[in-house]
Amino acid sequence: MTSMTKRVLTTVITLPSLFCIIVFLPAHSYFALSLVAVFTTIYGAKEVKDLYGKALGVKPHLPVVFVGLLPFAQWMEIACFPELPLVDLVIVFMALAFFSTELVYGSRDGFSNSLTRIAGEALLLLYPGLLFTFIQRLVALPLPTQTLLLFFLLIFSNDVFAFIFGMWLGRTNKGIVKVSPNKSIAGFLGGILSTVLLSVAFCMFVPGVDAIINIWQAALLGFGTSVAANIGDLIESAFKRSAQVKDSGTLVPGRGGLLDSIDSMLAGAPVFWVLLSLF
């Protein structure tokens, strides 16, 4: 089976699965989606930790299972304690707790790698920990089901159409960014334009959405999310180049690691959430 076939099959399986979770399991503030977020964050943190270790030769001591507490705390905040900034409290106390472990671990190497380990722990809490919670925050906005569907539609359409346009028209305009020389101008522009058009179409024709998002806001939402998604993909490329690996892992057939599939979501979700909140 070719890499292209595996990539298509993965997309065909993933999108309907997300659709079913969002549309048919919205109970308890989308608890099922939050469970997916917890396990995705934990495995994503494992891949980040491995990349960090390969790049710097030192792994942070933060157990990746603790990173999964952030999406769980986000669900608790939305479902049970909306007046309490639970995620902020969890991330601050976790950071202080695990930074303090250097008082013990640091003494083993004369504290020569303490700053490197602390930086790694901060990275894990942010990426993928905190960034993933912005997907969950979408359920607290008006029309949560439509909002979630729109977000995943924009993220996946940007990836798919960037790939299609890159294969079709991008052979002579590659190398615009050194961190990912196979990316092309045609791929970037094709992905952004397609995402904008799909965002406008969704907001115009899906019942209820046109009442809260006008055509210009929809276009800006598609553009901002697509640009952020592309930046997220390039950031992940920088991580992998630093670690001198092609993929972040082997979990997802045709795509590599889990991070290779969610990097666009991690960067796109905060921008999508901020724009919708402003609208």
Side-chain angles (χ1 to χ4, degrees):
M1 187 180 295
T2 65
S3 177
M4 178 63 178
T5 304
K6 291 180 181 178
R7 188 186 184 100
V8 172
L9 283 175
T10 301
T11 302
V12 168
I13 294 171
T14 303
L15 280 176
S17 299
L18 282 172
F19 179 85
C20 291
I21 290 172
I22 293 168
V23 174
F24 300 116
L25 298 172
H28 307 297
S29 299
Y30 296 83
F31 179 70
L33 182 65
S34 292
L35 277 182
V36 174
V38 169
F39 290 112
T40 301
T41 301
I42 290 172
Y43 199 90
K46 173 187 176 299
E47 291 187 348
V48 173
K49 190 172 182 177
D50 290 341
L51 290 175
Y52 195 88
K54 290 177 181 177
L56 299 176
V58 177
K59 282 189 177 183
H61 294 299
L62 173 62
V64 295
V65 67
F66 283 95
V67 183
L69 291 176
L70 289 172
F72 181 74
Q74 184 64 72
W75 175 78
M76 288 286 292
E77 180 178 321
I78 293 171
C80 307
F81 307 103
E83 75 287 347
L84 185 67
L86 193 58
V87 174
D88 294 342
L89 293 173
V90 169
I91 197 169
V92 167
F93 283 116
M94 282 179 61
L96 291 175
F98 285 101
F99 292 174
S100 299
T101 62
E102 277 307 307
L103 300 176
V104 176
Y105 285 104
S107 62
R108 300 176 183 180
D109 58 11
F111 301 97
S112 60
N113 290 309
S114 290
L115 190 57
T116 303
R117 283 189 289 265
I118 287 174
E121 288 160 1
L123 176 63
L124 290 176
L125 291 174
L126 172 64
Y127 186 103
L130 181 62
L131 291 181
F132 211 99
T133 65
F134 281 91
I135 299 176
Q136 297 169 270
R137 297 180 197 201
L138 299 177
V139 309
L141 297 177
L143 303 175
T145 296
Q146 293 91 324
T147 298
L148 286 167
L149 291 176
L150 176 58
F151 171 71
F152 287 113
L153 173 67
L154 298 186
I155 292 296
F156 278 94
S157 65
N158 176 76
D159 182 62
V160 170
F161 284 104
F163 182 78
I164 291 173
F165 278 92
M167 292 289 291
W168 178 30
L169 301 172
R171 296 180 182 179
T172 60
N173 47 76
K174 293 181 179 180
I176 58 173
V177 286
K178 291 183 179 180
V179 73
S180 187
N182 287 327
K183 303 292 185 185
S184 65
I185 296 176
F188 280 121
L189 295 181
I192 290 172
L193 179 60
S194 300
T195 304
V196 169
L197 292 176
L198 281 172
S199 180
V200 170
F202 187 98
C203 294
M204 286 179 61
F205 298 112
V206 173
V209 180
D210 60 340
I212 59 175
I213 303 177
N214 63 42
I215 187 172
W216 298 111
Q217 291 173 332
L220 178 59
L221 189 63
F223 177 80
T225 303
S226 179
V227 171
N230 285 319
I231 292 174
D233 185 49
L234 295 175
I235 291 172
E236 176 64 16
S237 295
F239 288 171
K240 291 185 292 187
R241 283 195 172 274
S242 181
Q244 299 181 8
V245 296
K246 181 179 182 295
D247 299 315
S248 63
T250 58
L251 180 68
V252 184
R255 298 184 67 93
L258 183 62
L259 284 177
D260 295 313
S261 296
I262 67 171
D263 49 11
S264 299
M265 297 181 197
L266 294 177
V271 173
F272 185 88
W273 178 81
V274 167
L275 288 175
L276 270 187
S277 298
L278 292 175
F279 297 159

